[in-house]
Amino acid sequence: MEKLIITAAICGAEVTKEQNPAVPYTVEEIVREAKSAVDAGAAIVHLHVREDDGTPTQSKARFKECIDAIYEVCPDVIIIPSTGGAVGMSAEERLQPTELFPEMATLDCGTCNFGDDVFENTMPMMRDFGKRMIENNIKPEYECFEMGHLDTVLKMAQKGQVPGAPMQFNFVLGVPGCTPATVQNLAWLVNSIPAGSTWTATGIGRHAFTLAAHAIAMGGNVRVGFEDNLNLEKGVPAKSNGELVAKVVRIAKELGREIATSAEAREILSLPPRKK
Ligand code: KMH
Ligand code: ZN
C-alpha cells in the first residue's frame, strides 16, 4: 500500500470558538494550528480563513496572508484552499483563492443539504469552477458529500469541463442531510472512481476516526481537523488539530500504514515539487 496522506482541515467556515476555544480565527492562530497538524504528521492543510472576529471570508488578501505565514513555518506543506467557503457565499466570492494560483484547491461536486442550510453548487457554477482550475493549472480536490456528486464530476471530466486524470477525490461522509459515514457507502464510492485516481475519506463528527480506520485499511487517505470534528473522543475536546492528526497516526501505526511526508504526498498525487 502507498503511504498514508493525512490532511488537516484546521479551521472550516462554520465551527466557532464557543464550540472549541482552539478553533483558529486570526492569522497567528491559523499558523499555530497548521504547524501543530504538520508537526503531528499532516502532509496537507485544507484551508479556510476568517476575519479576526471569526467571520468566514474568501478574501484573496486574507488567504495570501495566511498562506504566506504558513509557508514561513511549514515550507513543504501542501495547502488546499477552499473554494466552498461558507454556505450562502456567491461563486465569485468563493473563487478568490484561485487567483493566488495554489497547487490544489477544493471543487465541490453538487448541491446538497448542509444541516439546516443548502450548500449550493449548481452545474453552471461547477463549470465555472472547473474552467478556472483548468486555466490556472490548479489540481482540484473533488469534494463529494453525496453519492451522486461522484457521477456528476466524472461526467464533467469526460466532457473536459473540469481537470481530468489523475483525479483526487475527498469523500466527506456524515454531514447532516448528506450521505452517511458507513463503510458500505465508502466502499461504493471507492469502487466507482477511475483507475489511477487517489482518494481521501472525511468522517464528520463522531464518525471521524471510525471512517479514518476504514480508509486506512482500504488503502485510502484521511482528513481530520476542526472543520470536521472538534473532539478527540466523546466529551473530550481536542486541544489542537495536532491532537486529531496524532490520533490518526496512532491508528495507522497499529494498522501498519506508514505516513507520507508532504514531498511523498506530492508524488502520490502527481503534483510537481513545490517551487520555493
Ligand atoms: N463550508 C462548507 C459549506 C470546501 O471547503 O470546499 C463547504 C466546504 C467545502 O467546506
Ligand atoms: Zn472546507
Side-chain angles (χ1 to χ4, degrees), residues 3-23:
K3 289 188 180 179
L4 172 68
I5 303 172
I6 302 175
T7 300
I10 60 172
C11 178
E14 283 82 19
V15 290
T16 65
K17 280 190 193 294
E18 284 69 45
Q19 295 168 288
N20 183 324
V23 170

mmCIF file with all atom_site columns, all heavy atoms in Angstrom, residues 3-23:
data_model
loop_
_atom_site.group_PDB
_atom_site.id
_atom_site.type_symbol
_atom_site.label_atom_id
_atom_site.label_alt_id
_atom_site.label_comp_id
_atom_site.label_asym_id
_atom_site.label_entity_id
_atom_site.label_seq_id
_atom_site.pdbx_PDB_ins_code
_atom_site.Cartn_x
_atom_site.Cartn_y
_atom_site.Cartn_z
_atom_site.occupancy
_atom_site.B_iso_or_equiv
_atom_site.pdbx_formal_charge
_atom_site.auth_seq_id
_atom_site.auth_comp_id
_atom_site.auth_asym_id
_atom_site.auth_atom_id
_atom_site.pdbx_PDB_model_num
ATOM 1   N N   . LYS A 1 3  ? 1.974   5.021  1.093  1.00 0.00 ? 3  LYS A N   1
ATOM 2   C CA  . LYS A 1 3  ? 1.959   5.667  2.408  1.00 0.00 ? 3  LYS A CA  1
ATOM 3   C C   . LYS A 1 3  ? 0.662   6.475  2.570  1.00 0.00 ? 3  LYS A C   1
ATOM 4   O O   . LYS A 1 3  ? 0.042   6.877  1.582  1.00 0.00 ? 3  LYS A O   1
ATOM 5   C CB  . LYS A 1 3  ? 3.185   6.561  2.556  1.00 0.00 ? 3  LYS A CB  1
ATOM 6   C CG  . LYS A 1 3  ? 4.473   5.759  2.691  1.00 0.00 ? 3  LYS A CG  1
ATOM 7   C CD  . LYS A 1 3  ? 5.642   6.660  3.022  1.00 0.00 ? 3  LYS A CD  1
ATOM 8   C CE  . LYS A 1 3  ? 6.901   5.819  3.159  1.00 0.00 ? 3  LYS A CE  1
ATOM 9   N NZ  . LYS A 1 3  ? 8.085   6.652  3.471  1.00 0.00 ? 3  LYS A NZ  1
ATOM 10  N N   . LEU A 1 4  ? 0.293   6.713  3.812  1.00 0.00 ? 4  LEU A N   1
ATOM 11  C CA  . LEU A 1 4  ? -0.962  7.400  4.137  1.00 0.00 ? 4  LEU A CA  1
ATOM 12  C C   . LEU A 1 4  ? -0.764  8.919  4.123  1.00 0.00 ? 4  LEU A C   1
ATOM 13  O O   . LEU A 1 4  ? 0.090   9.445  4.844  1.00 0.00 ? 4  LEU A O   1
ATOM 14  C CB  . LEU A 1 4  ? -1.419  6.966  5.538  1.00 0.00 ? 4  LEU A CB  1
ATOM 15  C CG  . LEU A 1 4  ? -2.608  7.722  6.130  1.00 0.00 ? 4  LEU A CG  1
ATOM 16  C CD1 . LEU A 1 4  ? -3.890  7.404  5.364  1.00 0.00 ? 4  LEU A CD1 1
ATOM 17  C CD2 . LEU A 1 4  ? -2.768  7.373  7.610  1.00 0.00 ? 4  LEU A CD2 1
ATOM 18  N N   . ILE A 1 5  ? -1.585  9.586  3.315  1.00 0.00 ? 5  ILE A N   1
ATOM 19  C CA  . ILE A 1 5  ? -1.573  11.060 3.309  1.00 0.00 ? 5  ILE A CA  1
ATOM 20  C C   . ILE A 1 5  ? -2.634  11.539 4.301  1.00 0.00 ? 5  ILE A C   1
ATOM 21  O O   . ILE A 1 5  ? -3.814  11.202 4.169  1.00 0.00 ? 5  ILE A O   1
ATOM 22  C CB  . ILE A 1 5  ? -1.903  11.621 1.910  1.00 0.00 ? 5  ILE A CB  1
ATOM 23  C CG1 . ILE A 1 5  ? -0.928  11.086 0.852  1.00 0.00 ? 5  ILE A CG1 1
ATOM 24  C CG2 . ILE A 1 5  ? -1.903  13.143 1.934  1.00 0.00 ? 5  ILE A CG2 1
ATOM 25  C CD1 . ILE A 1 5  ? -1.304  11.453 -0.584 1.00 0.00 ? 5  ILE A CD1 1
ATOM 26  N N   . ILE A 1 6  ? -2.193  12.334 5.260  1.00 0.00 ? 6  ILE A N   1
ATOM 27  C CA  . ILE A 1 6  ? -3.151  12.908 6.216  1.00 0.00 ? 6  ILE A CA  1
ATOM 28  C C   . ILE A 1 6  ? -3.342  14.386 5.888  1.00 0.00 ? 6  ILE A C   1
ATOM 29  O O   . ILE A 1 6  ? -2.375  15.146 5.753  1.00 0.00 ? 6  ILE A O   1
ATOM 30  C CB  . ILE A 1 6  ? -2.666  12.760 7.676  1.00 0.00 ? 6  ILE A CB  1
ATOM 31  C CG1 . ILE A 1 6  ? -2.422  11.285 8.010  1.00 0.00 ? 6  ILE A CG1 1
ATOM 32  C CG2 . ILE A 1 6  ? -3.682  13.374 8.646  1.00 0.00 ? 6  ILE A CG2 1
ATOM 33  C CD1 . ILE A 1 6  ? -1.820  11.050 9.396  1.00 0.00 ? 6  ILE A CD1 1
ATOM 34  N N   . THR A 1 7  ? -4.599  14.766 5.734  1.00 0.00 ? 7  THR A N   1
ATOM 35  C CA  . THR A 1 7  ? -4.969  16.174 5.540  1.00 0.00 ? 7  THR A CA  1
ATOM 36  C C   . THR A 1 7  ? -5.561  16.700 6.837  1.00 0.00 ? 7  THR A C   1
ATOM 37  O O   . THR A 1 7  ? -6.387  16.022 7.464  1.00 0.00 ? 7  THR A O   1
ATOM 38  C CB  . THR A 1 7  ? -6.013  16.316 4.416  1.00 0.00 ? 7  THR A CB  1
ATOM 39  O OG1 . THR A 1 7  ? -5.462  15.816 3.205  1.00 0.00 ? 7  THR A OG1 1
ATOM 40  C CG2 . THR A 1 7  ? -6.449  17.763 4.225  1.00 0.00 ? 7  THR A CG2 1
ATOM 41  N N   . ALA A 1 8  ? -5.160  17.905 7.212  1.00 0.00 ? 8  ALA A N   1
ATOM 42  C CA  . ALA A 1 8  ? -5.764  18.560 8.375  1.00 0.00 ? 8  ALA A CA  1
ATOM 43  C C   . ALA A 1 8  ? -6.614  19.736 7.891  1.00 0.00 ? 8  ALA A C   1
ATOM 44  O O   . ALA A 1 8  ? -6.100  20.656 7.254  1.00 0.00 ? 8  ALA A O   1
ATOM 45  C CB  . ALA A 1 8  ? -4.678  19.059 9.322  1.00 0.00 ? 8  ALA A CB  1
ATOM 46  N N   . ALA A 1 9  ? -7.910  19.636 8.173  1.00 0.00 ? 9  ALA A N   1
ATOM 47  C CA  . ALA A 1 9  ? -8.843  20.733 7.849  1.00 0.00 ? 9  ALA A CA  1
ATOM 48  C C   . ALA A 1 9  ? -8.933  21.581 9.117  1.00 0.00 ? 9  ALA A C   1
ATOM 49  O O   . ALA A 1 9  ? -9.776  21.341 9.983  1.00 0.00 ? 9  ALA A O   1
ATOM 50  C CB  . ALA A 1 9  ? -10.194 20.166 7.451  1.00 0.00 ? 9  ALA A CB  1
ATOM 51  N N   . ILE A 1 10 ? -8.027  22.557 9.228  1.00 0.00 ? 10 ILE A N   1
ATOM 52  C CA  . ILE A 1 10 ? -7.723  23.143 10.538 1.00 0.00 ? 10 ILE A CA  1
ATOM 53  C C   . ILE A 1 10 ? -8.739  24.154 11.049 1.00 0.00 ? 10 ILE A C   1
ATOM 54  O O   . ILE A 1 10 ? -8.754  24.456 12.227 1.00 0.00 ? 10 ILE A O   1
ATOM 55  C CB  . ILE A 1 10 ? -6.321  23.806 10.540 1.00 0.00 ? 10 ILE A CB  1
ATOM 56  C CG1 . ILE A 1 10 ? -6.243  24.932 9.490  1.00 0.00 ? 10 ILE A CG1 1
ATOM 57  C CG2 . ILE A 1 10 ? -5.226  22.760 10.328 1.00 0.00 ? 10 ILE A CG2 1
ATOM 58  C CD1 . ILE A 1 10 ? -4.957  25.762 9.579  1.00 0.00 ? 10 ILE A CD1 1
ATOM 59  N N   . CYS A 1 11 ? -9.603  24.650 10.167 1.00 0.00 ? 11 CYS A N   1
ATOM 60  C CA  . CYS A 1 11 ? -10.390 25.831 10.552 1.00 0.00 ? 11 CYS A CA  1
ATOM 61  C C   . CYS A 1 11 ? -11.862 25.721 10.167 1.00 0.00 ? 11 CYS A C   1
ATOM 62  O O   . CYS A 1 11 ? -12.746 25.925 10.992 1.00 0.00 ? 11 CYS A O   1
ATOM 63  C CB  . CYS A 1 11 ? -9.748  27.052 9.883  1.00 0.00 ? 11 CYS A CB  1
ATOM 64  S SG  . CYS A 1 11 ? -10.572 28.589 10.178 1.00 0.00 ? 11 CYS A SG  1
ATOM 65  N N   . GLY A 1 12 ? -12.118 25.398 8.891  1.00 0.00 ? 12 GLY A N   1
ATOM 66  C CA  . GLY A 1 12 ? -13.503 25.366 8.429  1.00 0.00 ? 12 GLY A CA  1
ATOM 67  C C   . GLY A 1 12 ? -14.114 26.753 8.409  1.00 0.00 ? 12 GLY A C   1
ATOM 68  O O   . GLY A 1 12 ? -13.445 27.761 8.690  1.00 0.00 ? 12 GLY A O   1
ATOM 69  N N   . ALA A 1 13 ? -15.391 26.789 8.051  1.00 0.00 ? 13 ALA A N   1
ATOM 70  C CA  . ALA A 1 13 ? -16.087 28.077 7.966  1.00 0.00 ? 13 ALA A CA  1
ATOM 71  C C   . ALA A 1 13 ? -17.212 28.180 8.982  1.00 0.00 ? 13 ALA A C   1
ATOM 72  O O   . ALA A 1 13 ? -17.697 29.270 9.272  1.00 0.00 ? 13 ALA A O   1
ATOM 73  C CB  . ALA A 1 13 ? -16.661 28.257 6.560  1.00 0.00 ? 13 ALA A CB  1
ATOM 74  N N   . GLU A 1 14 ? -17.619 27.053 9.523  1.00 0.00 ? 14 GLU A N   1
ATOM 75  C CA  . GLU A 1 14 ? -18.828 27.051 10.335 1.00 0.00 ? 14 GLU A CA  1
ATOM 76  C C   . GLU A 1 14 ? -18.572 26.870 11.824 1.00 0.00 ? 14 GLU A C   1
ATOM 77  O O   . GLU A 1 14 ? -19.361 27.326 12.647 1.00 0.00 ? 14 GLU A O   1
ATOM 78  C CB  . GLU A 1 14 ? -19.794 25.955 9.845  1.00 0.00 ? 14 GLU A CB  1
ATOM 79  C CG  . GLU A 1 14 ? -20.568 26.304 8.578  1.00 0.00 ? 14 GLU A CG  1
ATOM 80  C CD  . GLU A 1 14 ? -19.787 26.076 7.285  1.00 0.00 ? 14 GLU A CD  1
ATOM 81  O OE1 . GLU A 1 14 ? -18.792 25.325 7.305  1.00 0.00 ? 14 GLU A OE1 1
ATOM 82  O OE2 . GLU A 1 14 ? -20.157 26.672 6.255  1.00 0.00 ? 14 GLU A OE2 1
ATOM 83  N N   . VAL A 1 15 ? -17.469 26.206 12.204 1.00 0.00 ? 15 VAL A N   1
ATOM 84  C CA  . VAL A 1 15 ? -17.232 25.937 13.629 1.00 0.00 ? 15 VAL A CA  1
ATOM 85  C C   . VAL A 1 15 ? -16.716 27.196 14.332 1.00 0.00 ? 15 VAL A C   1
ATOM 86  O O   . VAL A 1 15 ? -16.122 28.073 13.697 1.00 0.00 ? 15 VAL A O   1
ATOM 87  C CB  . VAL A 1 15 ? -16.246 24.762 13.834 1.00 0.00 ? 15 VAL A CB  1
ATOM 88  C CG1 . VAL A 1 15 ? -16.893 23.454 13.434 1.00 0.00 ? 15 VAL A CG1 1
ATOM 89  C CG2 . VAL A 1 15 ? -14.940 24.981 13.075 1.00 0.00 ? 15 VAL A CG2 1
ATOM 90  N N   . THR A 1 16 ? -16.956 27.277 15.650 1.00 0.00 ? 16 THR A N   1
ATOM 91  C CA  . THR A 1 16 ? -16.647 28.509 16.393 1.00 0.00 ? 16 THR A CA  1
ATOM 92  C C   . THR A 1 16 ? -15.852 28.208 17.666 1.00 0.00 ? 16 THR A C   1
ATOM 93  O O   . THR A 1 16 ? -15.822 27.075 18.146 1.00 0.00 ? 16 THR A O   1
ATOM 94  C CB  . THR A 1 16 ? -17.950 29.206 16.834 1.00 0.00 ? 16 THR A CB  1
ATOM 95  O OG1 . THR A 1 16 ? -18.632 28.344 17.766 1.00 0.00 ? 16 THR A OG1 1
ATOM 96  C CG2 . THR A 1 16 ? -18.850 29.513 15.654 1.00 0.00 ? 16 THR A CG2 1
ATOM 97  N N   . LYS A 1 17 ? -15.263 29.275 18.202 1.00 0.00 ? 17 LYS A N   1
ATOM 98  C CA  . LYS A 1 17 ? -14.546 29.165 19.475 1.00 0.00 ? 17 LYS A CA  1
ATOM 99  C C   . LYS A 1 17 ? -15.489 28.805 20.624 1.00 0.00 ? 17 LYS A C   1
ATOM 100 O O   . LYS A 1 17 ? -15.049 28.266 21.637 1.00 0.00 ? 17 LYS A O   1
ATOM 101 C CB  . LYS A 1 17 ? -13.859 30.493 19.805 1.00 0.00 ? 17 LYS A CB  1
ATOM 102 C CG  . LYS A 1 17 ? -12.554 30.718 19.059 1.00 0.00 ? 17 LYS A CG  1
ATOM 103 C CD  . LYS A 1 17 ? -11.842 31.939 19.630 1.00 0.00 ? 17 LYS A CD  1
ATOM 104 C CE  . LYS A 1 17 ? -10.714 32.408 18.731 1.00 0.00 ? 17 LYS A CE  1
ATOM 105 N NZ  . LYS A 1 17 ? -9.602  31.458 18.627 1.00 0.00 ? 17 LYS A NZ  1
ATOM 106 N N   . GLU A 1 18 ? -16.783 29.129 20.464 1.00 0.00 ? 18 GLU A N   1
ATOM 107 C CA  . GLU A 1 18 ? -17.735 28.743 21.513 1.00 0.00 ? 18 GLU A CA  1
ATOM 108 C C   . GLU A 1 18 ? -17.825 27.214 21.593 1.00 0.00 ? 18 GLU A C   1
ATOM 109 O O   . GLU A 1 18 ? -18.007 26.639 22.660 1.00 0.00 ? 18 GLU A O   1
ATOM 110 C CB  . GLU A 1 18 ? -19.137 29.310 21.230 1.00 0.00 ? 18 GLU A CB  1
ATOM 111 C CG  . GLU A 1 18 ? -19.298 30.802 21.519 1.00 0.00 ? 18 GLU A CG  1
ATOM 112 C CD  . GLU A 1 18 ? -18.522 31.689 20.548 1.00 0.00 ? 18 GLU A CD  1
ATOM 113 O OE1 . GLU A 1 18 ? -18.581 31.433 19.323 1.00 0.00 ? 18 GLU A OE1 1
ATOM 114 O OE2 . GLU A 1 18 ? -17.836 32.613 21.015 1.00 0.00 ? 18 GLU A OE2 1
ATOM 115 N N   . GLN A 1 19 ? -17.660 26.558 20.442 1.00 0.00 ? 19 GLN A N   1
ATOM 116 C CA  . GLN A 1 19 ? -17.726 25.090 20.421 1.00 0.00 ? 19 GLN A CA  1
ATOM 117 C C   . GLN A 1 19 ? -16.413 24.461 20.879 1.00 0.00 ? 19 GLN A C   1
ATOM 118 O O   . GLN A 1 19 ? -16.400 23.397 21.488 1.00 0.00 ? 19 GLN A O   1
ATOM 119 C CB  . GLN A 1 19 ? -18.053 24.604 19.008 1.00 0.00 ? 19 GLN A CB  1
ATOM 120 C CG  . GLN A 1 19 ? -19.434 25.033 18.525 1.00 0.00 ? 19 GLN A CG  1
ATOM 121 C CD  . GLN A 1 19 ? -19.572 24.765 17.032 1.00 0.00 ? 19 GLN A CD  1
ATOM 122 O OE1 . GLN A 1 19 ? -18.985 25.442 16.190 1.00 0.00 ? 19 GLN A OE1 1
ATOM 123 N NE2 . GLN A 1 19 ? -20.342 23.746 16.704 1.00 0.00 ? 19 GLN A NE2 1
ATOM 124 N N   . ASN A 1 20 ? -15.303 25.105 20.525 1.00 0.00 ? 20 ASN A N   1
ATOM 125 C CA  . ASN A 1 20 ? -13.976 24.654 20.963 1.00 0.00 ? 20 ASN A CA  1
ATOM 126 C C   . ASN A 1 20 ? -13.038 25.859 20.890 1.00 0.00 ? 20 ASN A C   1
ATOM 127 O O   . ASN A 1 20 ? -12.810 26.400 19.802 1.00 0.00 ? 20 ASN A O   1
ATOM 128 C CB  . ASN A 1 20 ? -13.461 23.516 20.064 1.00 0.00 ? 20 ASN A CB  1
ATOM 129 C CG  . ASN A 1 20 ? -12.119 22.976 20.527 1.00 0.00 ? 20 ASN A CG  1
ATOM 130 O OD1 . ASN A 1 20 ? -11.269 23.729 21.002 1.00 0.00 ? 20 ASN A OD1 1
ATOM 131 N ND2 . ASN A 1 20 ? -11.909 21.679 20.385 1.00 0.00 ? 20 ASN A ND2 1
ATOM 132 N N   . PRO A 1 21 ? -12.522 26.305 22.032 1.00 0.00 ? 21 PRO A N   1
ATOM 133 C CA  . PRO A 1 21 ? -11.717 27.536 22.057 1.00 0.00 ? 21 PRO A CA  1
ATOM 134 C C   . PRO A 1 21 ? -10.467 27.481 21.190 1.00 0.00 ? 21 PRO A C   1
ATOM 135 O O   . PRO A 1 21 ? -9.887  28.537 20.875 1.00 0.00 ? 21 PRO A O   1
ATOM 136 C CB  . PRO A 1 21 ? -11.329 27.698 23.540 1.00 0.00 ? 21 PRO A CB  1
ATOM 137 C CG  . PRO A 1 21 ? -11.931 26.584 24.278 1.00 0.00 ? 21 PRO A CG  1
ATOM 138 C CD  . PRO A 1 21 ? -12.676 25.684 23.354 1.00 0.00 ? 21 PRO A CD  1
ATOM 139 N N   . ALA A 1 22 ? -10.043 26.300 20.772 1.00 0.00 ? 22 ALA A N   1
ATOM 140 C CA  . ALA A 1 22 ? -8.825  26.200 19.942 1.00 0.00 ? 22 ALA A CA  1
ATOM 141 C C   . ALA A 1 22 ? -9.108  26.432 18.456 1.00 0.00 ? 22 ALA A C   1
ATOM 142 O O   . ALA A 1 22 ? -8.174  26.460 17.645 1.00 0.00 ? 22 ALA A O   1
ATOM 143 C CB  . ALA A 1 22 ? -8.170  24.836 20.142 1.00 0.00 ? 22 ALA A CB  1
ATOM 144 N N   . VAL A 1 23 ? -10.378 26.609 18.063 1.00 0.00 ? 23 VAL A N   1
ATOM 145 C CA  . VAL A 1 23 ? -10.677 26.900 16.643 1.00 0.00 ? 23 VAL A CA  1
ATOM 146 C C   . VAL A 1 23 ? -9.980  28.213 16.271 1.00 0.00 ? 23 VAL A C   1
ATOM 147 O O   . VAL A 1 23 ? -10.149 29.218 16.954 1.00 0.00 ? 23 VAL A O   1
ATOM 148 C CB  . VAL A 1 23 ? -12.206 27.007 16.411 1.00 0.00 ? 23 VAL A CB  1
ATOM 149 C CG1 . VAL A 1 23 ? -12.508 27.546 15.018 1.00 0.00 ? 23 VAL A CG1 1
ATOM 150 C CG2 . VAL A 1 23 ? -12.876 25.652 16.613 1.00 0.00 ? 23 VAL A CG2 1
#
